[in-house]
Amino acid sequence: MARYFIGDIQGCHSAFQRLLLQLAFSPSRDTLFLLGDLVNRGPDSAGVLRQCMDWGTSVQAVLGNHDLHLLAAAHGMRKSSRRDTLGSVLDAPDREPLLEWLRQQPLARSWSDAQGQHVLMVHAGVQPSWTLADTLALSAEVQQVLTSPELPAFLHVMYGNQPDHWDAKLTSADRLRVIVNTLTRIRFCTPDGRMDFDSAESADQAPEGLMPWFTCPDRHTAQNVVAFGHWSTLGLINQPQLMALDTGCVWGGQLTAVRVENDLQHREVIQVECEQAQRPG
């Protein structure tokens, strides 16, 4: 029984299928943990979602910013941009079950190995002041809205860069927006977690006064393994307490999986080369 942590697929269904063949993945035996951005920019987002639905609980996904963008577009709350490739879902005869499956996915998950070591799975990152339990609880707050009749109203107020830092006293839309922005958009922040949304450079090109979220001092999830995607310019990071797995599949890079059986500190990296669906920039 293997667990596979997989970075951003972004609608690249053919690369996803080739990776699964290389993994010899069996949905009756193994589990896929998908780290968000299942859809958009690649040519076949609907194919990715159908594959995930077919495998039931063998696929455990978290939502990324592109997945939320699809939900917003489907509800008329967000216009498609020139780089979007959401039509395979929005125009599909099975559009509604695909969207329903997507909205049931959380923004964060966790799994623990046989030694009791926890891995926290998010699309982008976490606030330095959040523990693993905090992150899961705050994800659940958003998921409760995503799966409720309040979804269209929430999508209407979801977008925006303010507030740009966490405060436990936040309420309503401001609170949910900070949770979403942290879990699906964060890259750089100040040491106390004030987020920047303008920079997507590699970690060693941090703007003045900012740092990658995972290098913040006294980060409360530092004792856990954190697995995330979202930041293709980082490349692959496979450190004892950190797995960054967005390796730019949609840009012609690789689609990356990390295989774990019973021990999070014993891992195997598996990659397939990807056809370039779009050019960066």
Side-chain angles (χ1 to χ4, degrees):
M1 179 182 294
R3 285 87 179 176
Y4 297 99
F5 299 86
I6 297 179
D8 302 35
I9 301 168
Q10 290 202 246
C12 297
H13 187 218
S14 62
F16 185 37
Q17 288 180 307
R18 286 188 284 107
L19 178 62
L20 294 170
L21 285 173
Q22 188 161 323
L23 301 178
F25 171 72
S26 168
S28 65
R29 178 191 64 217
D30 305 324
T31 302
L32 299 179
F33 292 120
L34 307 181
L35 300 178
D37 279 3
L38 281 67
V39 303
N40 206 15
R41 302 277 174 83
D44 191 5
S45 295
V48 173
L49 295 182
R50 289 188 190 109
Q51 190 97 71
C52 294
M53 285 179 59
D54 286 347
W55 284 330
T57 58
S58 296
V59 175
Q60 305 285 317
V62 299
L63 295 179
N65 51 304
H66 283 282
D67 307 312
L68 291 172
H69 177 53
L70 170 57
L71 293 175
H75 285 82
M77 303 299 175
R78 198 74 169 177
K79 292 182 178 180
S80 293
S81 75
R82 64 180 180 83
R83 304 190 75 173
D84 287 342
T85 59
L86 300 173
S88 68
V89 178
L90 297 177
D91 301 330
D94 55 347
R95 159 189 166 132
E96 294 309 318
L98 296 177
L99 294 172
E100 182 62 26
W101 180 87
L102 194 65
R103 70 187 287 202
Q104 298 297 322
Q105 308 309 309
L107 300 184
R109 292 183 183 272
S110 69
W111 175 75
S112 59
D113 66 12
Q115 288 69 42
Q117 173 72 68
H118 292 279
V119 57
L120 173 62
M121 291 163 269
V122 295
H123 176 59
V126 295
Q127 286 283 321
S129 63
W130 292 356
T131 64
L132 182 148
D134 293 334
T135 306
L136 295 175
L138 294 169
S139 167
E141 289 186 30
V142 177
Q143 189 179 19
Q144 183 176 8
V145 178
L146 290 175
T147 57
S148 78
E150 301 172 27
L151 174 61
F154 166 67
L155 293 171
H156 185 69
V157 298
M158 179 178 69
Y159 287 95
N161 294 340
Q162 297 295 326
D164 62 2
H165 64 286
W166 173 247
D167 184 335
K169 296 178 182 178
L170 289 170
T171 61
S172 304
D174 284 348
R175 181 180 179 91
L176 296 175
R177 192 180 304 117
V178 172
I179 298 168
V180 167
N181 282 344
T182 298
L183 295 176
T184 70
R185 296 181 62 201
I186 193 173
R187 291 186 179 97
F188 293 109
C189 63
T190 61
D192 62 352
R194 191 174 297 272
M195 296 179 283
D196 168 81
F197 299 113
D198 295 325
S199 304
E201 293 87 352
S202 60
D204 58 0
Q205 296 177 303
E208 184 176 359
L210 299 174
M211 59 183 59
W213 65 266
F214 51 84
T215 65
C216 286
D218 302 318
R219 176 169 58 87
H220 287 21
T221 51
Q223 75 276 15
N224 308 119
V225 180
V226 182
F228 67 101
H230 183 59
W231 200 345
S232 62
T233 53
L234 284 181
L236 172 66
I237 297 177
N238 184 26
Q239 299 174 356
Q241 304 304 116
L242 206 67
M243 292 191 284
L245 302 182
D246 179 4
T247 46
C249 177
V250 74
W251 312 124
Q254 297 82 35
L255 185 60
T256 298
V258 170
R259 184 178 189 271
V260 174
E261 290 198 0
N262 297 315
D263 185 348
L264 279 161
Q265 299 308 319
H266 292 86
R267 311 170 193 162
E268 178 187 5
V269 175
I270 304 102
Q271 296 181 307
V272 295
E273 297 297 321
C274 301
E275 304 87 356
Q276 186 178 58
Q278 293 198 14
R279 293 184 180 277

